[in-house]
Amino acid sequence: WQKREISNFDYLMYLNTLAGRSYNDYMQYPVFPWVLADYHSETLNLTNPHTFRDLSKPMGAQTVERKRKFIQRFDEVEKSEGDLSAQCHYCTHYSSAIIVASYLVRMEPFTQTFCSLQGGSFDVADRMFHSVKSTWESASRDNMSDVRELIPEFFYLPEFLTNANHFELGCMQDGTVLGDVQLPPWADGDPHKFIQLHRQALESDYVSAHLHHWIDLIFGHKQHGSAAVEAVNTYHPYFYGDKMDLNNIKDPLIKSTILGFISNFGQIPKQV
């Protein structure tokens, strides 16, 4: 990879596989980074560093204000192992079954998966995945309970961005009827162009030079411990599945709570 003999995409898929992530498990689906921060320009400039997301920081620390709030949350919570109020920066996760299904909701079998996770129907329209720009703004800036990253399909599968099956996804409060995903201006309303440019961004010189920072956060030494605290990258203890010894938990209620928590909110990949 360092010799550029394999692509960034292939290397990330390889790391996901090593860390136990698989297309066969929505709860441990392959996780990919947001690589762009520009969803408003008419043309995409891949030579400008400001076009890109800061790959050295998790989604919760993309703005100074947001980072400050998460550090404040961490500092305010007393350490309490096994408690829902355990000390951490994030009580939600960057990858979960519902995040995966929400991204892919316009395609089967993910439509049925999403509905079953939602109790049998689509979510409120305003909370559905409907715009790449607004999803980025939510996950990087606006929503303290949203730190989601991306999935591999954002870099090769234009079909998930169109409502080819004509599902009735609902109507937003502003009157917008949900259909195809709203794309950034630089995609010219074309899902194929979006995927092409997004893949170019992933393979760009800037991302190639900085991707190892993100890998450290997700798969490497900044996953947990003091390095994670310093990087504002700690999650609820229940998300660290390989660190939880469920066999030693005798109380069935606590055990089922932990398992439910993991299945609903996701798991940290195994450290590579």
Side-chain angles (χ1 to χ4, degrees):
W1 174 64
Q2 288 180 315
K3 294 176 182 175
R4 301 283 184 96
E5 291 172 0
I6 62 170
S7 66
N8 291 337
F9 183 91
D10 288 340
Y11 186 53
L12 287 171
M13 285 304 299
Y14 175 68
L15 290 174
N16 270 286
T17 303
L18 281 182
R21 314 292 287 191
S22 164
Y23 283 120
N24 299 323
D25 185 351
Y26 294 164
M27 290 183 286
Q28 295 190 83
Y29 207 76
V31 56
F32 268 58
W34 287 96
V35 293
L36 293 173
D38 182 353
Y39 298 96
H40 56 269
S41 296
E42 293 294 327
T43 56
L44 195 60
N45 182 359
L46 296 180
T47 62
N48 182 356
H50 296 294
T51 298
F52 298 92
R53 166 258 182 102
D54 187 341
L55 288 158
S56 69
K57 295 183 175 69
M59 289 302 289
Q62 289 297 307
T63 70
V64 174
E65 177 63 15
R66 187 167 154 99
K67 180 180 178 181
R68 184 189 63 76
K69 287 180 180 175
F70 280 121
I71 292 173
Q72 184 179 354
R73 173 193 283 178
F74 182 90
D75 291 341
E76 285 174 355
V77 179
E78 294 290 326
K79 283 189 178 178
S80 48
E81 278 295 320
D83 189 336
L84 282 170
S85 62
Q87 188 176 38
C88 60
H89 294 108
Y90 314 114
C91 295
T92 54
H93 198 253
Y94 49 76
S95 175
S96 66
I98 193 67
I99 290 172
V100 172
S102 70
Y103 281 143
L104 300 174
V105 69
R106 290 163 177 79
M107 295 173 58
E108 291 288 15
F110 302 98
T111 313
Q112 295 304 316
T113 302
F114 182 84
C115 289
S116 65
L117 289 170
Q118 283 293 128
S121 62
F122 291 121
D123 197 359
V124 176
D126 286 82
R127 291 204 299 258
M128 297 277 286
F129 172 53
H130 66 277
S131 158
V132 178
K133 178 176 182 281
S134 65
T135 302
W136 159 255
E137 289 171 349
S138 170
S140 67
R141 187 186 73 199
D142 297 339
N143 187 345
M144 290 291 283
S145 61
D146 183 4
V147 292
R148 79 185 85 173
E149 294 277 8
L150 297 182
I151 54 175
E153 284 82 352
F154 272 85
F155 301 94
Y156 69 83
L157 189 70
E159 287 78 10
F160 87 96
L161 297 165
T162 61
N163 187 21
N165 292 314
H166 305 292
F167 293 119
E168 293 184 8
L169 302 171
C171 184
M172 297 171 65
Q173 287 183 345
D174 65 3
T176 304
V177 177
L178 259 60
D180 297 346
V181 176
Q182 294 171 12
L183 302 175
W186 46 258
D188 296 329
D190 182 350
H192 289 84
K193 184 173 182 180
F194 171 83
I195 294 293
Q196 180 188 11
L197 289 172
H198 206 218
R199 183 65 173 263
Q200 282 180 22
L202 178 66
E203 305 299 342
S204 67
D205 289 342
Y206 180 90
V207 172
S208 297
H210 295 85
L211 187 58
H212 63 284
H213 296 303
W214 183 84
I215 290 169
D216 286 343
L217 293 168
I218 305 299
F219 300 109
H221 75 288
K222 292 182 180 177
Q223 239 191 25
H224 53 79
S226 58
V229 174
E230 194 174 322
V232 194
N233 193 43
T234 66
Y235 296 81
H236 194 282
Y238 291 172
F239 293 146
Y240 297 87
D242 56 341
K243 301 283 185 290
M244 299 290 301
D245 188 358
L246 292 173
N247 294 324
N248 285 336
I249 297 173
K250 304 302 180 200
D251 188 323
L253 184 61
I254 293 176
K255 195 169 188 175
S256 67
T257 300
I258 293 173
L259 288 170
F261 205 87
I262 292 169
S263 66
N264 284 322
F265 296 108
Q267 281 178 272
I268 301 289
K270 291 173 186 166
Q271 189 172 1
V272 176

